[in-house]
Amino acid sequence: MQIAVTAKEVREILRSVRREGKTIGVVPTMGALHDGHFSLVDTLRGRCDFLVMWAFVNPTQFNDINDYRNYPRTPEKDAAGAKAHEVDLLFVPDVSEIYPAGTEAYYERKSVRVTAGDRSLGFEGEHRPGHFDGVVHVCTVMFNIIRPDFAVFGEKDYQQVQVIKQLNEDLHLGIELVVAPIVRDADGLAMSSRNVLLNERSGPLSISKALMQIKAEVAAGQSDVSVLEQEARLMLENAGLRPDYVSIVDAETLKPVKSIENEAQLLVAAFTDNNVRLIDNMRLRRGG
Ligand code: AMP
């Protein structure tokens, strides 16, 4: 596995890869890698000849400076894990490499910025102002450096998948987007880099328990969204979590629905007692 820290190095390596007629796939991450990330690598491996992963904690997608500072960083472990999973090229740039004019210029709108479309409204977009603008900006910059044929994103960040699809369509990026299912620990907790910040598991576990419970109720015929949302919210609160949102929405448009006809998506974000913000989601289907 090669490791690059500059865009120039990445371009040079990928120029010769492309010359050999190989296709390139990319796995975008913020590092602190776990098996959820490696499942993305595995999903993409069969589809392309050369696998690039970026591990970059992108400051502009954090709306809270303390969240950015406290975000886990494990660069040596990440490099070992990426190598073990046969990533071909790991890109670990500094902030100054990705923001050549500086992040101040980004925030002050002095440098060129990419902004997210309307699928970024509500949910994460509402509760983390500027988050998806930072996401689509960094993805566009990285995609311009790497120029991948394929990119894989995890369904764990359900709204992010919709936002990136819209970016790909609207800016004609021409990337084949692959979506990978959520990887969970054996007890049901969705894997997340933030899980290392948890001081206990019973509160966080109520999220996946609530998702499973609501999924079962919908499968059994309950279709009233306000009843289902209220029930899920109570399950989280009773376990000591502070729900940020608990919403059942159209799985494509993310627009609210009142009643579940066939399918819908349940989106949850909640804070733990030590203020770690967790997200999770589940597809709901009438009749199973
Ligand atoms: P992050 O490093 O948290 O920005 O995540 C990088 C990518 O990994 C995103 O596409 C996430 O959706 C995906 N990802 C994170 N956790 C999981 C998980 N538990 N299962 C599947 N994909 C995940």
Side-chain angles (χ1 to χ4, degrees):
M1 184 181 78
Q2 300 181 76
I3 298 183
V5 294
T6 67
K8 187 164 177 279
E9 286 171 86
V10 172
R11 285 211 170 89
E12 275 166 11
I13 292 165
L14 294 183
R15 198 172 296 133
S16 59
V17 169
R18 252 179 235 106
R19 215 177 287 131
E20 292 169 32
K22 291 182 173 168
T23 55
I24 295 166
V26 69
V27 184
T29 81
M30 295 206 297
L33 301 178
H34 51 68
D35 283 348
H37 296 116
F38 295 128
S39 81
L40 305 183
V41 173
D42 296 338
T43 299
L44 213 48
R45 184 175 299 101
R47 299 182 192 236
C48 61
D49 304 313
F50 192 91
L51 266 181
V52 184
M53 173 185 268
W54 83 67
F56 177 65
V57 186
N58 173 38
T60 65
Q61 70 189 72
F62 288 81
N63 55 317
D64 173 351
I65 186 70
N66 287 324
D67 190 22
Y68 173 63
R69 287 199 184 119
N70 294 336
Y71 197 82
R73 290 165 171 85
T74 56
E76 286 90 16
K77 195 166 157 264
D78 291 351
K83 188 172 177 209
H85 285 81
E86 295 171 17
V87 168
D88 296 297
L89 171 62
L90 179 64
F91 184 33
V92 283
D94 281 340
V95 171
S96 58
E97 182 71 10
I98 299 305
Y99 293 91
T103 51
E104 280 312 309
Y106 171 93
Y107 290 119
E108 292 168 8
R109 296 177 181 271
K110 289 181 178 161
S111 56
V112 175
R113 279 180 60 158
V114 183
T115 51
D118 63 358
R119 289 185 214 169
S120 70
L121 301 176
F123 312 106
E124 295 303 288
E126 182 180 336
H127 294 262
R128 303 179 67 190
H131 168 67
F132 283 122
D133 286 345
V135 169
V136 294
H137 183 86
V138 77
C139 283
T140 306
V141 170
M142 293 294 201
F143 290 154
N144 282 334
I145 295 168
I146 298 163
R147 294 199 288 121
D149 302 287
F150 299 87
V152 63
F153 289 87
E155 213 162 41
K156 160 91 178 3
D157 297 273
Y158 194 84
Q159 189 179 12
Q160 174 170 274
V161 170
Q162 314 307 324
V163 168
I164 297 290
K165 280 184 181 165
Q166 194 175 24
L167 168 74
N168 194 38
E169 287 158 20
D170 290 354
L171 295 193
H172 287 273
L173 300 183
I175 298 169
E176 187 157 328
L177 296 180
V178 178
V179 180
I182 301 175
V183 177
R184 298 178 181 280
D185 287 329
D187 57 10
L189 185 67
M191 288 188 185
S192 165
S193 303
R194 292 176 195 271
N195 289 358
V196 297
L197 305 173
L198 300 175
N199 53 15
E200 60 90 32
R201 280 179 90 85
S202 70
L205 268 176
S206 69
I207 299 178
S208 51
K209 283 186 183 152
L211 294 176
M212 292 303 293
Q213 169 76 21
I214 301 302
K215 179 185 158 117
E217 285 183 28
V218 173
Q222 175 60 276
S223 61
D224 187 324
V225 162
S226 63
V227 169
L228 292 162
E229 287 178 348
Q230 180 61 12
E231 188 181 341
R233 185 178 292 276
L234 270 177
M235 284 182 75
L236 304 186
E237 285 171 354
N238 289 340
L241 294 190
R242 190 159 47 85
D244 199 348
Y245 56 78
V246 175
S247 300
I248 295 176
V249 297
D250 181 280
E252 290 293 313
T253 63
L254 305 189
K255 299 271 188 277
V257 291
K258 283 202 165 68
S259 158
I260 302 172
E261 302 303 330
N262 298 308
E263 288 194 341
Q265 201 76 16
L266 171 54
L267 307 177
V268 171
F271 289 97
T272 65
D273 56 353
N274 66 328
N275 243 5
V276 180
R277 190 169 181 283
L278 299 172
I279 60 170
D280 201 342
N281 66 86
M282 179 72 72
R283 180 62 55 92
L284 308 175
R285 285 194 186 89
R286 286 290 293 282

